[in-house]
Amino acid sequence: MTTNSNNIPMVRLAGAHKRFGETTVLEDINFQAAKGEFISLVGPSGCGKSTLLKIIAGLHSLSEGEVVVDGMNPKNAREEMAFIFQEANLLPWKRVQQNTELPLKLRGESTERRVETARKMLELVNLSHALDKFPWQLSGGMRMRVSIARALTLAPRVLLLDEPFGALDEMTRDNLNEDLLRIHARDQWTAFFVTHSAAEAVFLSNKVVVLSANPGRISQVIEIDLPKERNAELREGSAYLNYVAKVSNAIRTVH
Amino acid sequence: MASTSKKIQSALLPITSGAIILAVWYLISYWYGRSVGYDVQRIIIPFPHQITSALWSEREVLWQSTRQTALSALIGFVAAVSVGYALSMLLASAVWVKKALYPWVLVLQMTPVVVLAPIFVLWMGQGLPSITAITFMIGFFPVVANTTMGLVSTDRNLLDLFEMSNATKAQEILHLRVPYAMPYFLTGMKIAGTLAPIGAISGDLFAGSSQGGVGGIGYMVILYNSQLKIPELFATALVACMLGFVFVGCVNWLHWYLLKDWHDSARKVENT
Ligand SMILES: Nc1ncnc2c1ncn2[C@@H]1O[C@H](COP(=O)(O)OP(=O)(O)OP(=O)(O)O)[C@@H](O)[C@H]1O
Ligand SMILES: [Mg+2]
């Protein structure tokens, strides 16, 4: 969970502004994330969290300022990034296996590598038994797992997650959070994770960025100084609960 | 088993109502025949058995007409679907293309086919080409409207997903837009399929001819009507109705078959 010795930032935003027409959505965002950091973004609805992720992904361009991903313009760094959307965002006409292979297929990987990588990632998210199912045959949590597996096939160095578990029940969400941390410990991507849940943000991150609304600015960055190894027990500890209270409070005061 | 008795019940209901309708029909025909004479009754409200015997005695002619009409309907339908699909791809390819062309597609649609029909006959003469063109005109627009809608309304998030994978425009069309638009296209196809036999029969009314054998169903309608062969006219209606059922049945099956795996409109809950 701690910052890597590598000091070159994986993602850097400097004086970033984003306007849609007349309205300023993001104002003067300055932030950087080192390799392996897990950053959560919290803030009121409409404050620009999704917009910020899309800017890092190169899906939106900045009105002013700079965004750099691994030393590159985001559009050129696409190969190193994966985006996980709020809804699982699967192709309904493709089975789990083909859905997972999709990004590799679009990149022109060989069938053999595609199939193998997808299998491996689906195994990682415990879905080996569902390769031939269509998305509608899966539960919401399973669909999200496919979406995670699909993102992981790209071996991303930056993972962008936009409220991926917002629509799931708490149990499923907790389980997926633990899965995510397990995989993160293994692969050490840099994560930007948008959520509305203070508890989730604290459990996952080493930093929680609190945004204020209208325009969206960084109001506070809370470092989460909890042990690297995190599991269900952590959720009962007072250190964790204190952080949750602190983040909840920070979210409330920006409203 | 409960489900079997349910099935019998649901089959029994339309049979019973059919029998009632037949009985009422007989009653009315009988009552009418009693008051004006059975010669007049025969050419106003024939008894159902008079219709079926007309159907039997005219079976060869009607079979030929049906085949002719089915052929026009099929050609017109296939043309409407394929040209409609191609045009939709063109319309969806860029915003300016749609802006430039769609109004004219609408103009074409708003012009009633009954007005265009004589023009087609003027250009292509009586017979199959004109009839097919009329069928085409009727089925074409639903395909274009629905497919274009499907092609341009692709889910924003899915498009973002493709962009994140650096997908080319061709990949986006092939792997995303086209399959995404499939249910829309098939809905258009279904409407076109429902209209095709109607189109072919109306086409017959304007452009039907009996050159080289018998005419289509619409032609027979005119012929029987002018000869006061009314039971035969009713029999023709019966045949047209059956043709419609077969046509729509095939198209609906195709719709179901292509979507059964994944789309809400076609799938059934699986018990695995
Ligand atoms: N493509 C767009 N064009 C114009 N305005 C947009 C666009 N996308 C977002 N906005 C505006 O930008 C603001 C921020 O939107 P954004 O989706 O980033 O909020 P958010 O923080 O993710 O909210 P939520 O928590 O509800 O998902 C909103 O006011 C929204 O209306
Ligand atoms: Mg959002």
Side-chain angles (χ1 to χ4, degrees), chain A residues 54 57 59 78-79 81 83 85 87 89-93 102-103 105-107 133-134 136-137 150, chain B residues 155 157-158 160-167 171 175-176 179-180 260-262 267-270 272:
Chain A
K54 288 189 173 177
L59 294 169
R78 288 262 171 76
E79 306 238 322
M81 288 192 276
F83 205 117
F85 300 82
E87 283 91 34
N89 213 16
L90 305 175
L91 302 181
W93 54 89
L102 180 74
K105 182 173 174 175
L106 295 176
R107 286 184 190 185
K133 300 244 189 253
F134 283 97
W136 63 270
Q137 295 169 305
R150 179 176 64 187
Chain B
D155 191 320
N157 283 332
L158 288 174
D160 281 346
L161 175 76
F162 271 63
E163 199 184 334
M164 284 304 291
S165 308
N166 286 330
Q171 285 177 321
H175 295 296
L176 180 57
Y180 192 89
K260 67 178 172 9
D261 281 339
W262 65 276
R267 72 173 198 230
K268 293 198 182 96
V269 178
E270 214 179 61
T272 43

Side-chain angles (χ1 to χ4, degrees), chain B residues 31-58:
Chain B
W31 166 82
Y32 193 72
R34 286 266 308 232
S35 49
V36 298
Y38 290 101
D39 285 350
V40 179
Q41 169 267 328
R42 194 187 135 78
I43 57 165
I44 302 288
I45 316 172
F47 287 120
H49 67 261
Q50 290 173 326
I51 295 170
T52 46
S53 69
L55 183 64
W56 181 249
S57 60
E58 296 288 304

Side-chain angles (χ1 to χ4, degrees), chain B residues 83-166:
Chain B
V83 175
Y85 197 91
L87 183 64
S88 304
M89 290 288 266
L90 184 69
L91 289 172
S93 64
V95 177
W96 68 267
V97 179
K98 194 175 167 197
K99 278 196 178 136
L101 294 183
Y102 205 69
W104 303 112
V105 178
L106 276 178
V107 165
L108 214 56
Q109 163 64 11
M110 286 305 154
T111 316
V113 178
V114 287
V115 180
L116 293 176
I119 301 175
F120 288 152
V121 177
L122 198 67
W123 290 344
M124 293 177 271
Q126 302 275 328
L128 192 73
S130 290
I131 298 169
T132 310
I134 292 164
T135 313
F136 168 82
M137 284 304 295
I138 289 181
F140 165 76
F141 186 74
V143 176
V144 174
N146 281 284
T147 311
T148 308
M149 172 68 100
L151 287 170
V152 301
S153 64
T154 316
D155 191 320
R156 182 71 249 165
N157 283 332
L158 288 174
L159 286 169
D160 281 346
L161 175 76
F162 271 63
E163 199 184 334
M164 284 304 291
S165 308
N166 286 330

Side-chain angles (χ1 to χ4, degrees), chain B:
Chain B
M1 258 166 58
S3 72
T4 327
S5 75
K6 270 237 176 74
K7 262 185 200 156
I8 292 172
Q9 216 177 48
S10 61
L12 231 50
L13 281 171
I15 291 174
T16 314
S17 57
I20 293 171
I21 292 170
L22 264 185
V24 171
W25 187 310
Y26 266 109
L27 262 159
I28 294 173
S29 299
Y30 176 70
W31 166 82
Y32 193 72
R34 286 266 308 232
S35 49
V36 298
Y38 290 101
D39 285 350
V40 179
Q41 169 267 328
R42 194 187 135 78
I43 57 165
I44 302 288
I45 316 172
F47 287 120
H49 67 261
Q50 290 173 326
I51 295 170
T52 46
S53 69
L55 183 64
W56 181 249
S57 60
E58 296 288 304
R59 64 187 181 279
E60 254 152 53
V61 177
L62 284 177
W63 173 237
Q64 296 278 331
S65 310
T66 307
R67 283 194 3 198
Q68 185 129 329
T69 298
L71 183 69
S72 326
L74 192 66
I75 298 173
F77 169 75
V78 170
V81 168
S82 42
V83 175
Y85 197 91
L87 183 64
S88 304
M89 290 288 266
L90 184 69
L91 289 172
S93 64
V95 177
W96 68 267
V97 179
K98 194 175 167 197
K99 278 196 178 136
L101 294 183
Y102 205 69
W104 303 112
V105 178
L106 276 178
V107 165
L108 214 56
Q109 163 64 11
M110 286 305 154
T111 316
V113 178
V114 287
V115 180
L116 293 176
I119 301 175
F120 288 152
V121 177
L122 198 67
W123 290 344
M124 293 177 271
Q126 302 275 328
L128 192 73
S130 290
I131 298 169
T132 310
I134 292 164
T135 313
F136 168 82
M137 284 304 295
I138 289 181
F140 165 76
F141 186 74
V143 176
V144 174
N146 281 284
T147 311
T148 308
M149 172 68 100
L151 287 170
V152 301
S153 64
T154 316
D155 191 320
R156 182 71 249 165
N157 283 332
L158 288 174
L159 286 169
D160 281 346
L161 175 76
F162 271 63
E163 199 184 334
M164 284 304 291
S165 308
N166 286 330
T168 61
K169 190 78 191 165
Q171 285 177 321
E172 184 191 296
I173 290 171
L174 188 68
H175 295 296
L176 180 57
R177 288 196 188 267
V178 165
Y180 192 89
M182 190 60 108
Y184 295 81
F185 161 67
L186 290 173
T187 300
M189 186 195 74
K190 247 163 112 164
I191 301 171
T194 313
L195 295 175
I198 300 171
I201 293 168
S202 342
D204 247 355
L205 296 177
F206 290 95
S209 86
S210 60
Q211 256 177 347
V214 284
I217 289 177
Y219 183 81
M220 295 317 288
V221 167
I222 296 176
L223 195 70
Y224 286 142
N225 196 35
S226 67
Q227 297 172 345
L228 277 185
K229 288 187 169 174
I230 303 308
E232 285 77 2
L233 190 59
F234 274 88
T236 311
L238 203 62
V239 165
C241 166
M242 286 189 294
L243 175 67
F245 264 116
V246 170
F247 214 88
V248 171
C250 291
V251 172
N252 282 359
W253 179 83
L254 195 63
H255 178 269
W256 170 82
Y257 182 78
L258 290 172
L259 295 182
K260 67 178 172 9
D261 281 339
W262 65 276
H263 200 254
D264 287 339
S265 66
R267 72 173 198 230
K268 293 198 182 96
V269 178
E270 214 179 61
N271 298 316
T272 43

